[in-house]
Amino acid sequence: MTTTTRQGAQETVAASAWNLTKTYGQGDAQVHALRGIDFDLPRGRFTAIMGPSGSGKSTLMHCLAGLDQPSGGTVTVAGTDLGSLDDDALTIFRREHIGFVFQSFNLLPMLTAGENIVLPLELGGRRIDDAARERARMLADTLGVADRLGHRPAELSGGQQQRVAIARALITEPDLLFADEPTGNLDSTTSAEVLDHLRRSARELGQTVVMVTHERDAATYADYVVTMQDGRIA
Amino acid sequence: MRTVFLASLRTHIRRYVAAAIAVAVAVAFVVVVGVLTSGARSGLMDGLGAPYRDADYVVSAAGWPSSELDPKAAIAFAERHGENAAATGRATLPARANGRRLPSETTVGPIATSAEWRWQELSSGRFPARTGEAVADVYFALAEHIAVGDRVRIGEGAAARDVRVVGLVESPSPPAQAAMYVTWPQLLQWRDHLHLSAVAVRGEVGQLPEGAKAQSPEGFAAERLTYVQNRVDSLSVMLLLFAGIALFVAVLVIANTFSILFAQRLRDFALLRCIGATRRQVVRSVRREAAVVGVLASLTGTLVGVGLGYGLIALINTLTPTALMGAAELPTPWLLGGFAVGLVVTMVASWLPARRVVRVSPLAALRPDAAVDVHTATGLVRLALAAILLVTGPALLGVAMVQGSTALMVAGGGSVFAGVLLFGPVLVPHLVWITGALLGPAGRLATKNAVRNPRRTATTTASLLVGVTLTTAVLTGMATWRSALDEQIGRDHPIDVALTSPERPVTTDLLDRVRHTPGVERAIPVDGAVARVAGLDKPIPVVTAPAAEHVARDGGAFARVEPGKIGIDSEAFGKDLSLRPGDRVTVRVGDRRAQLQVAVGTGWGPVGVVAPETLATLTDAPEPHAIWIRASSGADPARLGGDLDKLADPVGATIENGLRTWESLDQQLEIYTWSALGLLGIAVVIALIGIANTLGLSVLERAREHAMLRALGLTRRQLRRMLATEAVLLSVVATLLGTVIGVGFAWVGYETLVTRALSDATMRVPWLSLGVVVLIAALAGLLAAVLPARRAARVTPAAGLSLD
Ligand SMILES: Nc1ncnc2c1ncn2[C@@H]1O[C@H](COP(=O)(O)OP(=O)(O)O)[C@@H](O)[C@H]1O
Ligand SMILES: [Mg+2]
């Protein structure tokens, strides 16, 4: 699937937004979180979406990832117009094409790290076969959490939890990996490790990565930086 | 702290709704019992006084209830006052109607011919005006299939009288109630059987009979009420027992709610402590929150209970006009009691969780990313206590079974159950694991969710466990009791219907017609000869029935009489039977005779049963003198009796109908079982509200997790199914555990009580009913998950992720 889209018309574009708007609330309480965003995400690169708090970064990411419906405009990911999908189709699309790393509450507390990593496969109803287990092991190895697979999230440090989350996001070989403030809860050393892993997955595996952050330091790891200001790309 | 209290009340009150409903239902239960008791009491008072409403005095036994009026003196006293007196009382007489001997306790009472003294209310036909006419109580008529126009023969021998039923009446006064009513002069024809409870007098009382006292009608009614009242009160106590069970379940539900909500808010509390709130302030705030919930829930419960109670009284009065339900006055003590119980229960339930809140350290608020760890360890003290109870409980039960001690049985059962509840946080998750494993990988997430907080899981299932344990115990106990009774009845009434022809032999034509009567499954001719038995005034057929096993409910055991003995049906011959078991009597057929020893039993009619050898010594040519009939299941006893009587009467044969006894006992057991189940149902409903509640609160708690799962590709339907599976797992585990304990309790009860009362009873496990219980529990679990699952699935992943 990845090879066919790579050779298609939008060879260098993994996802694009056109005239994207998002409005919350009504009347006086109305907030324009996105005020018309046009933008293309380059494939196989590490893109950072930067901007101050409240500028609409998370909202943009949610719309790009099919987690939320935009108020207007279109989002295309891997050649699919997300607006044309209903909730179930969108869910299955996410399952197959998109991976996520969040700021916190990334892992299910009652599952072990290993179980968390293969969870997306299980949700898709796939059997956890040796190949899947091997891939999980390899990812965990790359991310340096191979010796932690039997532990519960509560027994892992914040940095380890985020690395497990990255492994989980990569297990389905997604077209797009989204990370929303993945280092928000981490100290600078562990942040550096996590960011390095994201960058390597773009450089070495050709993975498209989109990271939302408000930290300038974090953005320096990215190939491209998109800056947002008050719901617009600055 | 005031603003904090009000704000948290505003924010969280909606999360208490389910738990508050649980408490309100239990409180309403208590209040409904109160209103019904009050209604029944006032109804009794009205009805009881009805026969005496126009009297100036009521004369009754001075030493009542330990002594009664001397019948002769009382009758003479009533006679002396003539039109100015009306007696209440009854004669207990044998009676026959529609070819059936009516149950031996057919009571006959007086009905006045003048309207002032008449207290019975006509429901159809007319009142009797003269001797030879009678009215029947509507319920008696219904039960015995008596209709206006029927002839009933009351009394025996010389005292037997035929009366025609001219009407049906309702009789509101229990102490004066009788099955049939006839005019005073007619009743005096059985004056030897007549016992008067009271004589109502207008004007002067005059000379009282010995041992009698005169009271005002009100005084008399109040005195009798205390007696009837005991029955109402014991019924109320029974109902309160069920209300208590419901309350207990409600306590579990609301206690669970408090611990879940307080655990979810632990960080808030820690933050409050950080910024300077003292422990006392924090605790007082949550206690006040519990008080508000308790007051609102109890108030709602009380109001609903009052409404429901009066509604039920109105309903009962419309459905059954003779029901003794009066206009209930507001039972204030019950209302206050119900309200107080609800409030206290809520406060008590919040006590432990609130103490845990106190122990929160202010530091908890400062810990980064404290995805509040709601996991609670199972305390050692708790486990030790559970162990002690689980050891002593079965020991007590064992002793109870050996000694037949009810007290020990209750104590042992109580401690076993308490032990199981305390052990729950360890036991229940394991059971959930095992059950969940059967679901395969599909149920894995649900299983893990169900066991992630053992104590919460245990409390949630405990509430359902209570109801299910009692339900299965009742079902099993009733099934066992019923099979024991079936055996006993089989022994007492081996033959459903016996047709006996004492003079002429029965013809094959008659046998054919009996066999073709609807409701007859099998009929066998019984051979014998007419004999004179010393000690009986009339000749009876002496028969032998080797084929009795084909129709008898006891497998024919009653008919296998040893040679040299004769089996006599003591019931068929009634009170006048002078023969006693073991007596030696001479039996003569023509000029042959035999000395036989009397054995007594019941249920085969007025014939003597002997061994084939014995009969052979008495006659060479036995002829059929009886037909024994096995009714098909579901046959209407009255119809069958009537039909057979029509065949028997023209040829001078009589009918003994044993089928009645079966039917009424069956009905009675059915009523007991369903009442118990219905009342337990309320506790089960509360428990299900509890499951929905726990699930609902857990869904709020896991909103971020669900959002993340949705982001990772869990569809709405998968999410709903996951939550439904969790609920079903909880309810099925509770049900299976409850079924095992309930059947165990029933077995102990059987060994302790039933085997002593009915020596050869065997334990019956009603597998089908128990299967239905498990199925219903699973469906109910599914139902409990509907609302929480829908709410969880509605949240979009993005909204869930930005939740805090
Ligand atoms: N669910 C919501 N309801 C109302 N307003 C929202 C909601 N989510 C975000 N917003 C508003 O939209 C704007 C953009 O928010 P967000 O995308 O989270 O910003 P960022 O991630 O850049 O901090 C903010 O002003 C925020 O208050
Ligand atoms: Mg954000």
Side-chain angles (χ1 to χ4, degrees):
Chain A
M1 129 197 93
T2 38
T3 47
T4 53
T5 46
R6 258 170 208 185
Q7 289 157 358
Q10 312 138 313
E11 200 179 2
T12 52
V13 177
S16 57
W18 180 74
N19 195 21
L20 201 61
T21 58
K22 177 73 183 178
T23 313
Y24 291 111
Q26 301 262 307
D28 269 357
Q30 207 168 43
V31 182
H32 297 280
L34 301 178
R35 300 166 187 268
I37 305 269
D38 292 308
F39 120 118
D40 289 336
L41 262 178
R43 174 181 306 283
R45 296 299 159 88
F46 183 3
T47 307
I49 302 176
M50 265 277 295
S53 182
S55 57
K57 309 180 296 287
S58 295
T59 307
L60 173 60
M61 189 205 100
H62 289 161
C63 291
L64 286 174
L67 290 172
D68 209 353
Q69 300 282 355
S71 309
T74 45
V75 175
T76 314
V77 177
T80 306
D81 176 6
L82 297 191
S84 67
L85 303 178
D86 67 6
D87 189 81
D88 278 348
L90 202 55
T91 304
I92 291 162
F93 183 83
R94 279 201 304 270
R95 197 194 276 164
E96 289 170 354
H97 298 275
I98 297 174
F100 293 98
V101 178
F102 302 108
Q103 179 175 356
S104 58
F105 295 105
N106 241 323
L107 306 175
L108 286 192
M110 70 281 189
L111 302 183
T112 62
E115 288 171 333
N116 265 292
I117 292 177
V118 295
L119 183 62
L121 299 179
E122 219 177 312
L123 293 180
R126 267 187 259 176
R127 259 178 55 82
I128 309 303
D129 52 11
D130 283 345
R133 228 170 271 127
E134 186 45 45
R135 181 168 165 77
R137 172 123 229 121
M138 188 207 80
L139 283 169
D141 241 358
T142 320
L143 290 156
V145 287
D147 54 339
R148 286 281 188 267
L149 292 183
H151 292 238
R152 305 249 164 156
E155 297 154 355
L156 302 178
S157 73
Q160 285 168 335
Q161 286 186 32
Q162 284 312 65
R163 279 180 281 156
V164 170
I166 295 173
R168 182 190 61 196
L170 293 174
I171 189 99
T172 56
E173 305 178 35
D175 292 303
L176 267 166
L177 170 63
F178 284 104
D180 191 356
E181 310 260 10
T183 57
N185 282 342
L186 304 179
D187 60 57
S188 54
T189 339
T190 14
S191 289
E193 276 171 35
V194 167
L195 291 166
D196 191 46
H197 280 300
L198 288 176
R199 180 167 59 187
R200 274 171 46 206
S201 57
R203 298 238 167 109
E204 294 169 17
L205 306 171
Q207 177 69 54
T208 311
V209 180
V210 182
M211 177 179 71
V212 165
T213 183
H214 67 275
E215 293 166 76
R216 204 160 287 283
D217 288 350
T220 57
Y221 282 79
D223 301 327
Y224 297 101
V225 177
V226 177
T227 313
M228 286 196 67
Q229 182 75 53
D230 198 18
R232 287 194 180 86
I233 291 179
Chain B
M1 247 358 241
R2 205 181 148 71
T3 37
V4 173
F5 164 68
L6 291 176
S8 48
L9 204 58
R10 263 199 309 278
T11 325
H12 300 293
I13 197 90
R14 288 183 50 208
R15 303 195 174 177
Y16 285 114
V17 166
I21 290 175
V23 173
V25 170
V27 169
F29 195 167
V30 173
V31 171
V32 166
V33 172
V35 174
L36 289 186
T37 307
S38 158
R41 180 178 313 202
S42 89
L44 273 177
M45 193 70 181
D46 290 347
L48 199 124
Y52 318 102
R53 55 175 189 250
D54 285 336
D56 292 317
Y57 296 99
V58 180
V59 175
S60 64
W64 186 86
S66 51
S67 71
E68 46 178 65
L69 286 176
D70 172 50
K72 292 208 169 52
I75 293 169
F77 175 78
E79 297 272 64
R80 200 160 64 238
H81 283 271
E83 286 300 299
N84 284 329
T88 50
R90 53 202 154 208
T92 306
L93 295 159
R96 299 182 69 88
N98 303 331
R100 262 177 316 109
R101 175 196 294 272
L102 301 183
S104 49
E105 64 275 18
T106 302
T107 51
V108 187
I111 186 164
T113 43
S114 71
E116 306 96 83
W117 281 126
R118 199 160 45 210
W119 54 274
Q120 294 91 340
E121 291 151 17
L122 196 65
S123 76
S124 67
R126 62 176 174 81
F127 284 117
R130 62 188 69 83
T131 305
E133 292 179 344
V135 286
D137 179 273
V138 275
Y139 287 98
F140 176 73
L142 202 64
E144 299 299 336
H145 303 266
I146 290 171
V148 174
D150 282 359
R151 289 201 166 274
V152 179
R153 166 162 294 202
I154 301 175
E156 262 182 338
R161 295 284 183 281
D162 276 336
V163 293
R164 199 160 63 83
V165 177
V166 296
L168 302 182
V169 293
E170 289 165 6
S171 339
S173 175
Q177 213 165 42
M180 309 261 306
Y181 301 94
V182 296
T183 58
W184 180 244
Q186 169 114 54
L187 190 61
L188 288 181
Q189 293 175 341
W190 299 292
R191 69 165 69 220
D192 293 344
H193 297 270
L194 183 58
H195 293 268
L196 295 185
S197 54
V199 182
V201 179
R202 225 170 10 214
E204 286 302 310
V205 209
Q207 174 72 43
L208 286 176
E210 186 138 345
K213 64 173 185 287
Q215 284 169 296
S216 67
E218 294 76 27
F220 175 77
E223 180 191 274
R224 296 291 152 126
L225 185 64
T226 53
Y227 170 66
V228 193
Q229 182 68 38
N230 285 339
R231 297 209 317 245
V232 176
D233 284 348
S234 53
L235 193 64
S236 307
V237 170
M238 277 280 302
L239 289 173
L240 273 185
L241 199 71
F242 285 101
I245 294 166
L247 268 171
F248 179 68
V249 174
V251 170
L252 290 176
V253 171
I254 191 143
N256 213 18
T257 306
F258 282 124
S259 25
I260 296 172
L261 286 182
F262 291 169
Q264 289 173 352
R265 287 156 60 189
L266 222 49
R267 262 172 77 113
D268 297 359
F269 295 133
L271 192 63
L272 280 173
R273 298 272 288 113
C274 268
I275 57 176
T278 64
R279 289 191 166 180
R280 273 175 59 88
Q281 280 176 311
V282 173
V283 161
R284 212 183 309 141
S285 171
V286 298
R287 291 254 154 87
R288 259 197 279 169
E289 215 170 291
V292 171
V293 174
V295 166
L296 290 180
S298 306
L299 201 62
T300 315
T302 309
L303 294 178
V304 169
V306 168
L308 214 59
Y310 281 96
L312 270 178
I313 288 182
L315 188 71
I316 291 172
N317 282 340
T318 11
L319 289 184
T320 54
T322 45
L324 295 163
M325 281 286 174
E329 38 181 308
L330 218 51
T332 319
W334 284 87
L335 302 191
L336 293 178
F339 180 83
V341 163
L343 183 56
V344 167
V345 150
T346 313
M347 293 308 290
V348 168
S350 77
W351 194 73
L352 266 184
R355 266 199 359 170
R356 230 170 291 139
V357 167
V358 183
R359 287 206 297 264
V360 65
S361 99
L363 276 177
L366 301 177
R367 252 179 258 135
D369 186 28
V372 182
D373 188 16
V374 284
H375 182 97
T376 44
T378 310
L380 265 183
V381 183
R382 187 181 171 122
L383 284 183
L385 198 60
I388 292 172
L389 287 170
L390 285 177
V391 171
T392 50
L396 284 175
L397 290 179
V399 177
M401 285 190 278
V402 174
Q403 299 192 342
S405 153
T406 315
L408 282 182
M409 183 183 79
V410 171
S415 56
V416 166
F417 200 73
V420 170
L421 289 190
L422 285 178
F423 196 51
V426 178
L427 178 66
V428 174
H430 279 96
L431 293 176
V432 172
W433 266 119
I434 295 169
T435 319
L438 302 177
L439 299 174
R444 218 154 58 88
L445 274 181
T447 309
K448 293 201 167 179
N449 274 332
V451 298
R452 64 204 271 176
N453 189 326
R455 192 179 282 183
R456 188 186 294 181
T457 310
T459 317
T460 309
T461 46
S463 55
L464 187 57
L465 189 64
V466 173
V468 173
T469 301
L470 292 171
T471 303
T472 46
V474 165
L475 283 172
T476 312
M478 285 297 177
T480 299
W481 186 15
R482 182 188 201 124
S483 89
L485 274 179
D486 277 0
E487 256 165 67
Q488 169 127 11
I489 296 170
R491 224 173 314 117
D492 291 350
H493 301 272
I495 299 298
D496 287 346
V497 186
L499 182 154
T500 313
S501 174
E503 282 138 35
R504 276 170 283 163
V506 294
T507 58
T508 42
D509 171 55
L510 180 63
L511 183 60
D512 265 359
R513 282 160 64 192
V514 165
R515 283 186 170 147
H516 287 106
T517 305
V520 172
E521 187 180 295
R522 236 169 288 138
I524 56 163
V526 184
D527 288 346
V530 178
R532 287 213 151 267
V533 177
L536 295 179
D537 12 314
K538 278 187 220 148
I540 59 162
V542 171
V543 300
T544 188
E549 62 189 292
H550 297 304
V551 289
R553 297 228 180 232
D554 68 345
F558 82 95
R560 287 190 280 275
V561 181
E562 292 168 40
K565 290 199 171 177
I566 179 168
I568 299 286
D569 179 347
S570 61
E571 237 169 43
F573 291 101
K575 277 204 294 262
D576 304 330
L577 183 70
S578 59
L579 298 179
R580 293 285 161 263
D583 286 357
R584 302 201 68 84
V585 294
T586 312
V587 177
R588 278 189 297 133
V589 177
D591 50 4
R592 298 199 202 176
R593 61 178 65 201
Q595 276 282 330
L596 298 178
Q597 192 179 17
V598 173
V600 168
T602 56
W604 61 83
V607 299
V609 183
V610 296
E613 299 92 311
T614 313
L615 188 64
T617 64
L618 289 170
T619 178
D620 297 326
E623 288 174 307
H625 272 277
I627 297 174
W628 289 351
I629 293 146
R630 172 65 166 262
S632 45
S633 67
D636 177 359
R639 269 275 295 285
L640 184 59
D643 287 352
L644 291 173
D645 197 52
K646 278 195 205 107
L647 296 178
D649 218 29
V651 298
T654 60
I655 295 281
E656 298 295 313
N657 194 344
L659 204 53
R660 278 221 57 75
T661 332
W662 289 80
E663 188 196 42
S664 66
L665 264 170
D666 254 20
Q667 278 174 352
Q668 217 164 320
L669 269 182
E670 209 103 297
I671 290 173
Y672 284 149
T673 311
W674 283 108
S675 315
L677 293 185
L679 292 168
L680 285 174
I682 297 172
V684 172
V685 166
I686 294 178
L688 290 171
I689 295 176
I691 290 188
N693 183 37
T694 306
L695 205 61
L697 295 174
S698 301
V699 161
L700 289 175
E701 192 174 275
R702 300 183 207 147
R704 288 194 76 117
E705 263 173 62
H706 291 159
M708 194 192 71
L709 280 168
R710 295 271 290 117
L712 293 183
L714 190 78
T715 59
R716 284 207 164 119
R717 179 201 291 250
Q718 281 177 312
L719 177 61
R720 277 197 298 261
R721 204 183 305 149
M722 181 178 88
L723 291 168
T725 309
E726 187 178 344
V728 171
L729 268 178
L730 290 182
S731 56
V732 166
V733 163
T735 311
L736 289 177
L737 188 58
T739 306
V740 171
I741 302 176
V743 171
F745 280 177
W747 175 69
V748 172
Y750 154 77
E751 288 285 343
T752 312
L753 304 173
V754 182
T755 45
R756 262 148 239 275
L758 303 162
S759 53
D760 42 21
T762 41
M763 172 92 177
R764 281 292 149 87
V765 179
W767 295 111
L768 188 69
S769 317
L770 298 187
V772 171
V773 169
V774 176
L775 197 70
I776 290 178
L779 289 177
L782 219 49
L783 196 70
V786 167
L787 280 182
R790 275 183 43 177
R791 189 167 44 190
R794 246 201 328 261
V795 181
T796 66
L801 286 170
S802 43
L803 278 178
D804 219 359

